[in-house]
């Protein structure tokens, strides 16, 4: 059975090996990403555009709920409007 000091030394060695492996793999990932970016002539807006996440360029979200009485809508995000507050939302789904 290993002593406490031996285990600490092993942990230090493992921590060092983990940091080295992370740096190696990160560098490899960056190199692969750069290759793909160059291959497809991608730009930052291609990679980080909101359109890629399914949103429109304006960042608007489609409404999810409608008040049948007034036609008012709500996306389901943020504070709930008074007309849906405390009610079963499934009755208002669009």
């Amino acid at each position: 059975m290993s002593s406490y000091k031996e285990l600490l030394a092993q942990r230090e060695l493992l921590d060092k090996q983990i940091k080295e492996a992370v740096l190696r793999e990160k560098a490899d990932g960056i190199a692969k990403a750069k290759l793909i970016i160059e291959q497809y002539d991608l730009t930052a807006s291609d990679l980080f555009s909101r359109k890629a996440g399914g949103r429109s360029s304006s960042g608007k979200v489609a409404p999810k709920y409608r008040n049948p009485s007034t036609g008012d809508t709500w996306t389901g995000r943020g504070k709930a409007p008074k007309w849906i507050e405390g009610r079963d939302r499934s009755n208002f789904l669009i």
Side-chain angles (χ1 to χ4, degrees):
M1 182 170 206
S2 299
S3 74
Y4 174 71
K5 287 185 180 185
E6 291 171 331
L7 290 172
L8 285 176
Q10 289 175 7
R11 183 172 73 182
E12 285 180 32
L13 179 61
L14 282 173
D15 285 343
K16 182 181 176 189
Q17 291 173 344
I18 289 169
K19 286 179 185 178
E20 290 170 354
V22 167
L23 290 175
R24 253 190 336 270
E25 292 180 22
K26 192 175 189 179
D28 185 45
I30 291 169
K32 288 177 183 177
K34 284 181 178 180
L35 182 66
I36 292 170
I37 289 167
E38 289 172 10
Q39 181 180 1
Y40 294 101
D41 196 28
L42 299 173
T43 65
S45 63
D46 291 330
L47 299 172
F48 303 107
S49 167
R50 289 189 172 246
K51 287 182 182 179
R55 292 183 179 184
S56 66
S57 59
S58 66
K60 292 187 178 182
V61 178
K64 188 174 180 180
Y65 303 98
R66 174 173 281 121
N67 182 344
S69 304
T70 64
D72 292 343
T73 60
W74 179 51
T75 63
R77 295 184 178 186
K79 186 176 178 186
K82 297 277 185 204
W83 55 265
I84 201 169
E85 223 172 49
R87 295 182 165 170
D88 181 7
R89 293 182 181 174
S90 65
N91 295 328
F92 299 92
L93 283 170
I94 296 175

